[in-house]
Structure formats: C-alpha cells, structure tokens
Amino acid sequence: MSVIPEDPAVAAFVSAVNGGNRDAFYSVLTPDATMSDDGSERDLAVWVDREIFSAGGRMDIETASDEGRSLTAAFTNTTYGTMRTRWAFTVTGGRVSRFETGQA
C-alpha cells in the first residue's frame, strides 16, 4: 500500500500523477513552478508531458519525511518501466513551487 504524503499539496500532486489528471496536476503548481531531474534543470511542461502524462507515469510512495515534502517512490512509466526515485518538494502558499526528482 502506498504511503500518503502529509503535505496536502504534495498529496494532490501524487494523486494527479496517479490519476493521469493533467488539469489537477497543473492546478497544484504555482504559475512559475520549476523542476530538476537527476540534478539538471528541466523544462517543466516538456518533462511532465514526456515522463508522466504521455508515458502513463505513476508514483507508489514508499516513504515520506520532512512533513511529507520528501518522498521515496517506485516511479513507473511506459518508457523506463519501474525505478526507485526520490522526490523533494518546495511548497509555497499551499502549492508546489518546485520539485526535484532523480534515481534513489
């Protein structure tokens, strides 16, 4: 069973990813949200489309810490299969303003 992150914005992010709900995903982000993957800055819209929504991305949360803003998850998509990943979120005003991900 997947852990549910304590932070409501992060929980909504995970729910949107797992539900394949692009509108819900973008509604939980600040308009100027940024992200990085394995330490490299990425274009958020391009990365999200390629890694999540066009590839059936799904997060199965294994652990949550830092009040639900740091996660370890099995991330699965049709491009790479399943891999163990880490996620760190910055939440500003109840919305995700930045997330960093990479292999754990």
Side-chain angles (χ1 to χ4, degrees):
M1 178 167 205
S2 189
V3 172
I4 298 172
E6 182 180 341
D7 187 284
V10 176
F13 178 103
V14 172
S15 178
V17 168
N18 289 345
N21 189 330
R22 191 183 303 260
D23 291 337
F25 179 86
Y26 280 105
S27 74
V28 79
L29 301 179
T30 62
D32 60 347
T34 61
M35 62 89 51
S36 69
D37 183 7
D38 282 328
S40 297
E41 292 299 310
R42 305 290 183 185
D43 179 296
L44 187 142
V46 170
W47 188 92
V48 165
D49 184 60
R50 183 182 65 239
E51 302 290 335
I52 298 174
F53 295 109
S54 292
R58 180 158 181 81
M59 300 171 73
D60 183 22
I61 309 305
E62 298 171 356
T63 65
S65 59
D66 188 26
E67 299 180 349
R69 290 186 287 276
S70 292
L71 310 176
T72 303
F75 182 78
T76 303
N77 70 21
T78 57
T79 304
Y80 300 109
T82 300
M83 67 185 88
R84 193 161 189 259
T85 55
R86 59 174 169 68
W87 298 76
F89 295 87
T90 303
V91 177
T92 306
R95 294 169 78 188
V96 174
S97 56
R98 179 169 178 80
F99 67 94
E100 300 172 9
T101 189
Q103 293 193 48

